[in-house]
mmCIF file of all heavy atoms in Angstrom:
data_model
loop_
_atom_site.group_PDB
_atom_site.id
_atom_site.type_symbol
_atom_site.label_atom_id
_atom_site.label_comp_id
_atom_site.label_asym_id
_atom_site.label_seq_id
_atom_site.Cartn_x
_atom_site.Cartn_y
_atom_site.Cartn_z
ATOM 1 N N ALA A 171 -18.515 12.456 3.422
ATOM 2 C CA ALA A 171 -19.146 11.184 3.077
ATOM 3 C C ALA A 171 -18.129 10.183 2.543
ATOM 4 O O ALA A 171 -18.161 8.998 2.883
ATOM 5 C CB ALA A 171 -20.254 11.410 2.060
ATOM 6 N N VAL A 172 -17.211 10.660 1.693
ATOM 7 C CA VAL A 172 -16.166 9.788 1.160
ATOM 8 C C VAL A 172 -15.283 9.285 2.296
ATOM 9 O O VAL A 172 -14.952 8.089 2.376
ATOM 10 C CB VAL A 172 -15.320 10.528 0.103
ATOM 11 C CG1 VAL A 172 -14.034 9.765 -0.192
ATOM 12 C CG2 VAL A 172 -16.125 10.714 -1.176
ATOM 13 N N GLN A 173 -14.883 10.177 3.175
ATOM 14 C CA GLN A 173 -14.021 9.817 4.300
ATOM 15 C C GLN A 173 -14.689 8.767 5.184
ATOM 16 O O GLN A 173 -14.068 7.778 5.594
ATOM 17 C CB GLN A 173 -13.685 11.070 5.103
ATOM 18 C CG GLN A 173 -12.586 10.898 6.126
ATOM 19 C CD GLN A 173 -12.280 12.211 6.823
ATOM 20 O OE1 GLN A 173 -13.016 12.654 7.704
ATOM 21 N NE2 GLN A 173 -11.174 12.831 6.427
ATOM 22 N N GLN A 174 -15.967 8.950 5.452
ATOM 23 C CA GLN A 174 -16.695 7.995 6.290
ATOM 24 C C GLN A 174 -16.857 6.652 5.588
ATOM 25 O O GLN A 174 -16.736 5.591 6.213
ATOM 26 C CB GLN A 174 -18.054 8.576 6.676
ATOM 27 C CG GLN A 174 -17.953 9.764 7.627
ATOM 28 C CD GLN A 174 -19.281 10.489 7.819
ATOM 29 O OE1 GLN A 174 -20.248 10.267 7.082
ATOM 30 N NE2 GLN A 174 -19.336 11.370 8.801
ATOM 31 N N GLY A 175 -17.119 6.688 4.284
ATOM 32 C CA GLY A 175 -17.245 5.451 3.520
ATOM 33 C C GLY A 175 -15.942 4.683 3.474
ATOM 34 O O GLY A 175 -15.925 3.446 3.606
ATOM 35 N N ASN A 176 -14.839 5.404 3.306
ATOM 36 C CA ASN A 176 -13.531 4.753 3.327
ATOM 37 C C ASN A 176 -13.291 4.068 4.671
ATOM 38 O O ASN A 176 -12.784 2.944 4.733
ATOM 39 C CB ASN A 176 -12.419 5.772 3.072
ATOM 40 C CG ASN A 176 -12.413 6.314 1.660
ATOM 41 O OD1 ASN A 176 -13.140 5.840 0.793
ATOM 42 N ND2 ASN A 176 -11.595 7.329 1.425
ATOM 43 N N GLY A 177 -13.658 4.757 5.735
ATOM 44 C CA GLY A 177 -13.470 4.188 7.065
ATOM 45 C C GLY A 177 -14.301 2.939 7.282
ATOM 46 O O GLY A 177 -13.830 1.963 7.882
ATOM 47 N N ARG A 178 -15.525 2.944 6.794
ATOM 48 C CA ARG A 178 -16.373 1.751 6.947
ATOM 49 C C ARG A 178 -15.797 0.567 6.183
ATOM 50 O O ARG A 178 -15.808 -0.571 6.671
ATOM 51 C CB ARG A 178 -17.795 2.061 6.456
ATOM 52 C CG ARG A 178 -18.605 2.929 7.402
ATOM 53 C CD ARG A 178 -20.072 2.938 7.012
ATOM 54 N NE ARG A 178 -20.293 3.514 5.688
ATOM 55 C CZ ARG A 178 -20.514 4.811 5.485
ATOM 56 N NH1 ARG A 178 -20.518 5.661 6.494
ATOM 57 N NH2 ARG A 178 -20.723 5.268 4.257
ATOM 58 N N THR A 179 -15.297 0.813 4.984
ATOM 59 C CA THR A 179 -14.712 -0.282 4.201
ATOM 60 C C THR A 179 -13.462 -0.812 4.882
ATOM 61 O O THR A 179 -13.257 -2.030 4.965
ATOM 62 C CB THR A 179 -14.375 0.188 2.779
ATOM 63 O OG1 THR A 179 -15.564 0.628 2.139
ATOM 64 C CG2 THR A 179 -13.767 -0.944 1.971
ATOM 65 N N MET A 180 -12.630 0.097 5.383
ATOM 66 C CA MET A 180 -11.414 -0.347 6.057
ATOM 67 C C MET A 180 -11.755 -1.193 7.275
ATOM 68 O O MET A 180 -11.135 -2.239 7.523
ATOM 69 C CB MET A 180 -10.579 0.862 6.462
ATOM 70 C CG MET A 180 -9.210 0.496 6.998
ATOM 71 S SD MET A 180 -8.047 1.867 6.928
ATOM 72 C CE MET A 180 -8.878 3.062 7.952
ATOM 73 N N ALA A 181 -12.775 -0.778 8.019
ATOM 74 C CA ALA A 181 -13.182 -1.552 9.188
ATOM 75 C C ALA A 181 -13.704 -2.926 8.798
ATOM 76 O O ALA A 181 -13.534 -3.907 9.532
ATOM 77 C CB ALA A 181 -14.248 -0.782 9.960
ATOM 78 N N ALA A 182 -14.330 -3.018 7.621
ATOM 79 C CA ALA A 182 -14.936 -4.282 7.191
ATOM 80 C C ALA A 182 -13.915 -5.297 6.712
ATOM 81 O O ALA A 182 -14.110 -6.505 6.871
ATOM 82 C CB ALA A 182 -15.951 -4.009 6.079
ATOM 83 N N ILE A 183 -12.803 -4.836 6.120
ATOM 84 C CA ILE A 183 -11.895 -5.810 5.498
ATOM 85 C C ILE A 183 -10.508 -5.863 6.120
ATOM 86 O O ILE A 183 -9.756 -6.815 5.863
ATOM 87 C CB ILE A 183 -11.740 -5.554 3.986
ATOM 88 C CG1 ILE A 183 -10.865 -4.329 3.700
ATOM 89 C CG2 ILE A 183 -13.087 -5.421 3.302
ATOM 90 C CD1 ILE A 183 -10.459 -4.206 2.249
ATOM 91 N N ALA A 184 -10.164 -4.901 6.958
ATOM 92 C CA ALA A 184 -8.748 -4.758 7.322
ATOM 93 C C ALA A 184 -8.445 -4.976 8.795
ATOM 94 O O ALA A 184 -7.583 -4.319 9.355
ATOM 95 C CB ALA A 184 -8.247 -3.381 6.882
ATOM 96 N N GLY A 185 -9.102 -5.943 9.431
ATOM 97 C CA GLY A 185 -8.700 -6.303 10.784
ATOM 98 C C GLY A 185 -7.347 -6.989 10.742
ATOM 99 O O GLY A 185 -7.017 -7.710 9.801
ATOM 100 N N ASP A 186 -6.509 -6.750 11.755
ATOM 101 C CA ASP A 186 -5.164 -7.330 11.763
ATOM 102 C C ASP A 186 -5.222 -8.839 11.533
ATOM 103 O O ASP A 186 -6.141 -9.527 11.983
ATOM 104 C CB ASP A 186 -4.470 -7.048 13.100
ATOM 105 C CG ASP A 186 -4.188 -5.569 13.307
ATOM 106 O OD1 ASP A 186 -4.205 -4.827 12.312
ATOM 107 O OD2 ASP A 186 -3.968 -5.168 14.456
ATOM 108 N N ASP A 187 -4.203 -9.360 10.834
ATOM 109 C CA ASP A 187 -4.124 -10.784 10.511
ATOM 110 C C ASP A 187 -3.081 -11.440 11.417
ATOM 111 O O ASP A 187 -1.874 -11.284 11.192
ATOM 112 C CB ASP A 187 -3.733 -10.959 9.041
ATOM 113 C CG ASP A 187 -3.694 -12.415 8.609
ATOM 114 O OD1 ASP A 187 -3.772 -13.299 9.475
ATOM 115 O OD2 ASP A 187 -3.580 -12.669 7.394
ATOM 116 N N PRO A 188 -3.494 -12.170 12.473
ATOM 117 C CA PRO A 188 -2.525 -12.761 13.397
ATOM 118 C C PRO A 188 -1.655 -13.837 12.757
ATOM 119 O O PRO A 188 -0.636 -14.227 13.327
ATOM 120 C CB PRO A 188 -3.406 -13.341 14.511
ATOM 121 C CG PRO A 188 -4.747 -13.549 13.881
ATOM 122 C CD PRO A 188 -4.896 -12.460 12.863
ATOM 123 N N GLU A 189 -2.030 -14.311 11.573
ATOM 124 C CA GLU A 189 -1.254 -15.344 10.892
ATOM 125 C C GLU A 189 -0.247 -14.770 9.900
ATOM 126 O O GLU A 189 0.640 -15.499 9.424
ATOM 127 C CB GLU A 189 -2.198 -16.300 10.144
ATOM 128 C CG GLU A 189 -3.181 -17.034 11.038
ATOM 129 C CD GLU A 189 -4.114 -17.923 10.238
ATOM 130 O OE1 GLU A 189 -4.037 -17.899 8.989
ATOM 131 O OE2 GLU A 189 -4.924 -18.628 10.848
ATOM 132 N N LEU A 190 -0.367 -13.488 9.583
ATOM 133 C CA LEU A 190 0.427 -12.924 8.496
ATOM 134 C C LEU A 190 1.922 -13.025 8.745
ATOM 135 O O LEU A 190 2.684 -13.444 7.868
ATOM 136 C CB LEU A 190 0.026 -11.462 8.262
ATOM 137 C CG LEU A 190 0.789 -10.728 7.153
ATOM 138 C CD1 LEU A 190 0.574 -11.396 5.803
ATOM 139 C CD2 LEU A 190 0.361 -9.257 7.092
ATOM 140 N N LEU A 191 2.382 -12.641 9.941
ATOM 141 C CA LEU A 191 3.816 -12.626 10.210
ATOM 142 C C LEU A 191 4.424 -14.012 9.994
ATOM 143 O O LEU A 191 5.496 -14.138 9.380
ATOM 144 C CB LEU A 191 4.073 -12.137 11.627
ATOM 145 C CG LEU A 191 5.526 -11.789 11.965
ATOM 146 C CD1 LEU A 191 6.009 -10.596 11.147
ATOM 147 C CD2 LEU A 191 5.677 -11.489 13.456
ATOM 148 N N GLY A 192 3.750 -15.034 10.464
ATOM 149 C CA GLY A 192 4.265 -16.381 10.319
ATOM 150 C C GLY A 192 4.234 -16.902 8.892
ATOM 151 O O GLY A 192 4.976 -17.826 8.549
#
Side-chain angles (χ1 to χ4, degrees):
V172 166
Q173 192 177 77
Q174 292 170 348
N176 291 352
R178 286 193 297 270
T179 300
M180 188 160 60
I183 74 168
D186 294 342
D187 183 349
E189 299 178 356
L190 179 61
L191 192 65

